[in-house]
Amino acid sequence: MFQSIAGKANLEKSDLEPALKALKDRLMTKNVAEEIAEKLCESVAASLEGKKLASFTRISSTVHAAMEEALVRILTPRRSIDILRDVHVAKEQRKPYVVVFVGVNGVGKSTNLAKVKENNLFPFNLFKILYVGVMMAACDTFRSGAVEQLRTHARRLQIPIFEKGYEKDPAVVAKEAIQEASRNGSDVVLVDTAGRMQDNEPLMRALSKLIYLNNPDLVLFVGEALVGNDAVDQLSKFNQKLADLSTSSAPRLIDGILLTKFDTIDDKVGAALSMVYISGAPVMFVGCGQSYTDLKKLNVKSIVKTLLK
Amino acid sequence: MVLAQLGGSISRALQQMSNATVIDEKVLNECLNEITRALLQSDVQFKLVRDMQTNIKKIVNLEDLAAGHNKRKIIQQAVFNELCKMLDAGKPSFTPKKGKPSVVMFVGLQGSGKTTTCTKYAYYHQKKGWKPALVCADTFRAGAFDQLKQNATKAKIPFYGSYMESDPVKIAVDGVERFKKENCDLIIVDTSGRHKQEAALFEEMRQVSEATKPDLVIFVMDSSIGQAAFDQAQAFKQSVAVGAVIVTKMDGHAKGGGALSAVAATKSPVIFIGTGEHMDEFEVFDVKPFVSRLLGMGDWSGFMDK
Ligand SMILES: Nc1nc2c(ncn2[C@@H]2O[C@H](COP(=O)(O)OP(=O)(O)OP(=O)(O)O)[C@@H](O)[C@H]2O)c(=O)[nH]1
Ligand SMILES: Nc1nc2c(ncn2[C@@H]2O[C@H](COP(=O)(O)OP(=O)(O)OP(=O)(O)O)[C@@H](O)[C@H]2O)c(=O)[nH]1
Ligand SMILES: [Mg+2]
Ligand SMILES: [Mg+2]
């Protein structure tokens, strides 16, 4: 690790290996999926191989710097989603702006859906500041208590909710909710869906139908920061199933990520990296608690620093 | 079951070693690296994996092994022992007895599957002739009581809870008392999700436990949990007397290595696994057959009775 090769010509793979191995281990202790940690190290190796080492620099610091750069690049969104602007565009077209919350079981879809309205952190309080009318749509028609859960939030937040009880086709309930929103002049519809395992074909098909039928403005994947290696499979399969099971020629995929339970993981922040790396979608919101105001923006700098510490 | 995939990788790594003509440092390292990788991909805590690797190397000191020794067998035995050590809590958990009232309290992180698993656990015992009852001591989560109520109604299991009372300790005590009077022999207390970073939530759990004096506290854990599993499980154990673990969502893709971490952290065995959202998607978990399955069986039977 402390080996220095001032004077040596070009960096070879074998020079880099010990430093990269240590870095891979560090990423994994921070809960980055093994596959992602491995791929990252490979790409850092590829970027350094054959390069000359600046004199008096250690290999480990060179590798560290290259990794840092790669992490910042991956975590910095390539495209930004301006919800505010999009809500206004939809409003001008006299259509409600529709957000669908999707993800596996118990990650925090319903709770964080309720946070998107009432938040003190700019710019997430946008719905409140602009007096935009928000409506919730209870499209988890399966899990016990799901409708009552959302109804409770709606009551506390004093916003309207569209619900049709249990056992209805969620795609149809969503459709009716959006129609109702158009009628009553709501600007935003937040659609709650049931949690589902990414391998569960019938449930993934039903989700794909809901999205195809309603063509939402934003498909928000909700994933918990606690998740380990499964993060990779969750994101890739949701995307893959949405693509494969859609009857549309231009299927909708995950637009953004809402990362929850960030308050439960200490420095094990790696799931953020796994999710973004595998999907290319940005982390748009970070859930960091169980009350309505616990929503933040991802701090890329601090994540990168924690990952490398 | 997906945990078996981990077994597949480990068996393959050992098999590859068996195919090598000479077993030297390099072959051993390759084998151990493969096993390490499989465990990390399954979300076993990094430190546990590292310790396991070190221990095996210590046991299998190649230079010390006299020429006559069967190196392969010694290595395989070491791998087996270390895996067992990780999965085996050492002692069985408290088992409730039919006809004799027991209180079982469910605890765990937010969204891990406690409420769903409570009903599964009650339903499982009800089918075997018990008289279970459910108490909803989650006054925090929106819709928590409705969820438990709807589940219990479906399963025809008596339940207790309140829309008005906000003190979980009071509800838990009242519920347990009521069902003891009604001669229920398995009183199950569901609690809110919580995490170690919020001390007040842990204090509340401690109080519910103190007031209801559960015979068994079950830690419910999501199979997809990553490296945070060990620390969280350990913190729960330090606040209440966790005696058993249930791993949920095993119908997903996750390999459930967090379960190994939780066993290690709580020194408690996994007693059931959840394999779906429906009431009957619930299986008894037994370590021994699991480990033999994990390692591809056959050759391992000889080691089992050690
Ligand atoms: N600590 C913490 N808990 C959270 C956060 N977000 C959600 N939760 C908790 O996680 C649990 C599950 O949240 P839900 O919103 O019901 O999750 P869901 O994804 O809608 O669950 P299903 O609909 O059953 O799939 C609840 O106890 C929430 O309070 C968060 O950011 N931090
Ligand atoms: N696929 C699958 N889903 C499960 C399983 N067990 C629970 N779930 C789902 O996981 C989600 C969360 O379950 P809950 O029982 O509400 O979890 P909880 O621990 O009580 O949540 P909080 O009370 O908010 O902490 C729900 O959508 C359940 O249907 C399982 O074994 N498989
Ligand atoms: Mg929900
Ligand atoms: Mg619950």
Side-chain angles (χ1 to χ4, degrees):
Chain A
M1 281 283 284
F2 295 100
Q3 158 197 29
S4 157
I5 22 173
K8 190 168 174 179
N10 295 327
L11 282 172
E12 281 169 31
K13 199 164 186 171
S14 56
D15 301 326
L16 299 166
E17 245 156 32
L20 280 170
K21 171 85 179 57
L23 211 47
K24 182 185 169 191
D25 285 356
R26 187 174 311 169
L27 291 175
M28 286 189 298
T29 60
K30 299 286 163 57
N31 199 34
V32 175
E34 195 273 343
E35 180 190 338
I36 304 296
E38 174 75 28
K39 279 188 181 149
L40 264 165
C41 287
E42 275 167 16
S43 73
V44 166
S47 76
L48 290 177
E49 240 173 275
K51 292 250 170 69
K52 274 204 168 56
L53 196 68
S55 44
F56 304 116
T57 36
R58 281 202 232 122
I59 292 188
S60 61
S61 35
T62 306
V63 168
H64 194 282
M67 180 62 84
E68 185 172 343
E69 201 187 310
L71 293 177
V72 171
R73 197 175 55 239
I74 292 162
L75 286 166
T76 308
R78 266 155 285 171
R79 52 199 156 89
S80 68
I81 301 173
D82 188 346
I83 296 188
L84 193 57
R85 187 199 58 212
D86 296 348
V87 168
H88 278 284
V89 171
K91 207 176 162 95
E92 271 159 27
Q93 297 170 348
R94 300 187 180 288
K95 284 192 312 199
Y97 180 84
V98 180
V99 187
V100 177
F101 292 72
V102 305
V104 302
N105 303 85
V107 289
K109 293 175 292 300
S110 314
T111 306
N112 286 281
L113 176 154
K115 288 180 194 170
V116 175
K117 186 195 175 220
E118 184 119 353
N119 202 275
N120 294 325
L121 272 166
F122 189 78
F124 301 121
N125 57 347
L126 51 97
F127 296 137
K128 213 172 146 193
I129 282 194
L130 298 168
Y131 301 102
V132 169
V134 183
M135 193 175 97
M136 290 180 178
C139 297
D140 179 352
T141 59
F142 171 74
R143 206 209 70 219
S144 305
V147 175
E148 288 80 2
Q149 181 181 12
L150 214 60
R151 200 188 287 154
T152 306
H153 288 306
R155 194 186 59 235
R156 288 187 196 151
L157 295 165
Q158 299 201 306
I159 61 178
I161 176 170
F162 185 90
E163 50 157 296
K164 280 282 145 104
Y166 293 94
E167 285 168 24
K168 299 278 178 336
D169 181 348
V172 176
V173 179
K175 181 127 208 125
E176 290 170 2
I178 296 166
Q179 282 165 357
E180 170 65 19
S182 303
R183 264 196 302 275
N184 71 17
S186 294
D187 306 308
V188 176
V189 182
L190 304 174
V191 179
D192 189 26
T193 66
R196 65 203 76 220
M197 290 293 151
Q198 67 270 25
D199 283 320
N200 189 320
E201 189 90 2
L203 294 183
M204 290 307 292
R205 193 177 291 281
L207 182 66
S208 167
K209 178 182 172 192
L210 185 150
I211 289 174
Y212 168 66
L213 197 68
N214 295 291
N215 194 27
D217 297 274
L218 188 68
V219 177
L220 202 52
F221 180 87
V222 184
E224 59 176 28
L226 284 164
V227 67
N229 283 269
D230 201 41
V232 175
D233 198 67
Q234 284 181 15
L235 267 296
S236 51
K237 290 246 179 70
F238 263 78
N239 264 335
Q240 188 196 322
K241 296 272 160 73
L242 287 182
D244 293 352
L245 302 174
S246 169
T247 38
S248 158
S249 55
R252 294 292 308 277
L253 304 179
I254 293 166
D255 296 309
I257 297 167
L258 195 162
L259 184 67
T260 64
K261 308 189 190 173
F262 203 71
D263 51 324
T264 70
I265 50 156
D266 296 331
D267 64 349
K268 299 182 180 61
V269 300
L273 181 69
S274 306
M275 289 184 195
V276 172
Y277 186 103
I278 203 70
S279 69
V283 173
M284 296 178 65
F285 304 94
V286 178
C288 51
Q290 303 190 80
S291 61
Y292 294 122
T293 50
D294 292 327
L295 203 60
K296 282 198 224 160
K297 243 175 135 162
L298 187 77
N299 184 334
V300 173
K301 253 200 199 136
S302 119
I303 296 261
V304 172
K305 203 171 144 206
T306 310
L307 284 172
L308 292 174
K309 198 162 59 195
Chain B
M1 186 171 58
V2 204
L3 266 167
Q5 283 178 15
L6 171 62
S9 316
I10 294 175
S11 306
R12 255 194 317 283
L14 289 170
Q15 188 58 46
Q16 261 161 23
M17 183 189 66
S18 298
N19 293 342
T21 34
V22 193
I23 296 177
D24 53 12
E25 188 82 32
K26 185 164 165 280
V27 174
L28 175 64
N29 279 341
E30 269 169 18
C31 174
L32 288 182
N33 283 343
E34 270 311 301
I35 292 175
T36 300
R37 188 143 172 244
L39 290 168
L40 288 171
Q41 284 176 340
S42 310
D43 298 310
V44 182
Q45 193 209 23
F46 191 87
K47 188 175 171 298
L48 285 177
V49 176
R50 230 337 84 77
D51 290 351
M52 169 174 176
Q53 200 172 6
T54 320
N55 288 346
I56 294 176
K57 276 202 170 161
K58 234 184 264 160
I59 296 163
V60 194
N61 190 337
L62 287 172
E63 279 153 32
D64 283 0
L65 292 183
H69 271 116
N70 186 341
K71 289 180 189 169
R72 281 184 196 95
K73 195 146 187 215
I74 291 170
I75 295 170
Q76 288 183 339
Q77 174 85 61
V79 171
F80 180 78
N81 285 349
E82 286 300 311
L83 277 174
C84 278
K85 234 166 61 189
M86 235 192 259
L87 257 166
D88 194 355
K91 56 175 189 327
S93 80
F94 167 85
T95 325
K97 303 244 165 355
K98 202 194 286 181
K100 186 175 172 287
S102 304
V103 176
V104 180
M105 175 175 162
F106 279 64
V107 300
L109 289 164
Q110 290 91 349
S112 58
K114 294 173 294 300
T115 307
T116 311
T117 307
C118 274
T119 324
K120 288 179 174 180
Y121 185 79
Y123 181 70
Y124 171 88
H125 286 94
Q126 189 189 42
K127 277 194 310 190
K128 292 187 176 298
W130 298 59
K131 269 189 73 183
L134 289 160
V135 179
C136 175
D138 179 359
T139 53
F140 178 79
R141 170 160 161 192
F145 183 36
D146 288 294
Q147 183 184 5
L148 182 129
K149 194 168 153 180
Q150 287 168 21
N151 281 341
T153 308
K154 236 178 261 169
K156 301 195 173 62
I157 293 164
F159 61 90
Y160 182 85
S162 163
Y163 289 110
M164 308 309 293
E165 178 57 58
S166 61
D167 180 6
V169 179
K170 184 165 187 334
I171 295 185
V173 169
D174 291 353
V176 167
E177 207 169 292
R178 139 114 61 119
F179 290 127
K180 272 191 178 156
K181 270 195 205 116
E182 292 180 7
N183 290 322
C184 292
D185 52 5
L186 191 61
I187 305 168
I188 299 158
V189 181
D190 184 21
T191 63
S192 305
R194 63 196 84 235
H195 56 292
K196 72 179 176 76
Q197 288 83 354
E198 248 190 83
L201 295 180
F202 266 52
E203 174 56 23
E204 177 197 278
M205 168 173 74
R206 216 187 47 71
Q207 286 177 14
V208 174
S209 167
E210 207 171 83
T212 54
K213 307 224 165 12
D215 299 282
L216 176 64
V217 177
I218 298 179
F219 179 67
V220 178
M221 157 169 271
D222 185 323
S223 65
S224 75
I225 192 170
Q227 293 293 321
F230 188 94
D231 293 352
Q232 289 288 358
Q234 193 175 45
F236 273 85
K237 174 78 176 188
Q238 281 161 1
S239 275
V240 290
V242 171
V245 176
I246 295 182
V247 185
T248 63
K249 310 183 197 177
M250 288 300 294
D251 50 321
H253 174 269
K255 299 193 183 78
L260 270 71
S261 308
V263 170
T266 61
K267 311 262 182 308
S268 309
V270 178
I271 53 171
F272 288 96
I273 56 170
T275 55
E277 295 192 72
H278 297 280
M279 204 146 19
D280 55 351
E281 290 171 322
F282 198 52
E283 291 171 20
V284 175
F285 184 87
D286 201 354
V287 181
K288 283 247 161 91
F290 169 72
V291 175
S292 73
R293 216 169 1 165
L294 192 68
L295 295 169
M297 294 170 295
D299 339 355
W300 298 96
S301 49
F303 297 137
M304 287 303 284
D305 298 319
K306 259 205 71 175

